[in-house]
Amino acid sequence: MNELVVNPITEDWEALADWLSRGHWPFHRRVTPGRDEVLEQAAAGLFHGPETRSFWLAQAADPPFGLLRLFDLADPTPLFDLRIQPRQRGRGLGEAALRWATGHVFAEHPGASRFGGYTRQDNEAMCRVFQHCGFTLEARHREAWRTEQGELLDTLGWFVLRREWPTAAEFRPRESTV
C-alpha cells in the first residue's frame, strides 16, 4: 500500500459536496446525501470550525479516496467520521486513516483523554478496523441507529484511551464485556 496522504479541508465546499453526493455510504445515516444538503452542512460548520476539522485522504498523487472528519475536538473525547469510496474498501486504508487520526488527535489536542467513534452493528469491516487499531468496544446502544428505511439497529461505541495509544498501535485487539 502506498503512503497515506492527508490534506486538510478548510474551503472548496463545492468539491466536497460533489464528492459526498456522488458517493454511496451504506453505513451512514444518509446513504446518498444531496449536494445542496452537504453545502448547507458546510456553511453551518459541520466540516470545519472551532471544534471540527476535515481531511481528504489519498495515496501519492491520486485523487482523494476518503474523507475523515474529526469533531468535538474541545471535548475530552473527540469523535470521528470516516468515509472511504467503495472501490477502495478492503485494502487497509481505513486502518491507516484511523491510526493517523488517533495519533493526530493525541498529538494536537492535549485535552483529549480518549478518542472514539460509533458504527452500526452490521458494519463488520469497521469493527475489524477498530479492533486492529487497539480500540475497545465500550458501548452497545440497542436500536439506537435508525436507517433511512426506518430500521433500528444497534450502535456500537469504540474508544481508545490516550495512555493506551502507544501499545494500542501495536495491533493488540482487546476483548470487551459489552
Side-chain angles (χ1 to χ4, degrees), residues 116-124 126-127 130 136-142 144-145 153-159 178:
Y118 293 92
T119 193
R120 293 173 14 174
Q121 70 189 49
D122 59 341
N123 192 346
E124 294 174 11
M126 191 64 214
C127 290
F130 278 122
T136 299
L137 176 60
E138 292 186 356
R140 175 181 290 272
H141 303 283
R142 297 179 306 148
W145 193 299
L153 301 173
D154 291 359
T155 300
L156 305 178
W158 294 83
F159 297 87
V178 176

Side-chain angles (χ1 to χ4, degrees), residues 66-82:
L67 170 69
L68 171 68
R69 184 172 69 92
L70 305 174
F71 56 100
D72 293 344
L73 291 170
D75 192 88
T77 306
L79 299 169
F80 75 94
D81 176 32
L82 177 62

Side-chain angles (χ1 to χ4, degrees), residues 1 18 47 54 80 84 89-90 101 117 122 148 176:
M1 181 174 78
D18 289 341
F47 299 100
S54 294
F80 75 94
I84 295 179
R89 295 178 190 149
D122 59 341
E148 281 186 331
S176 172

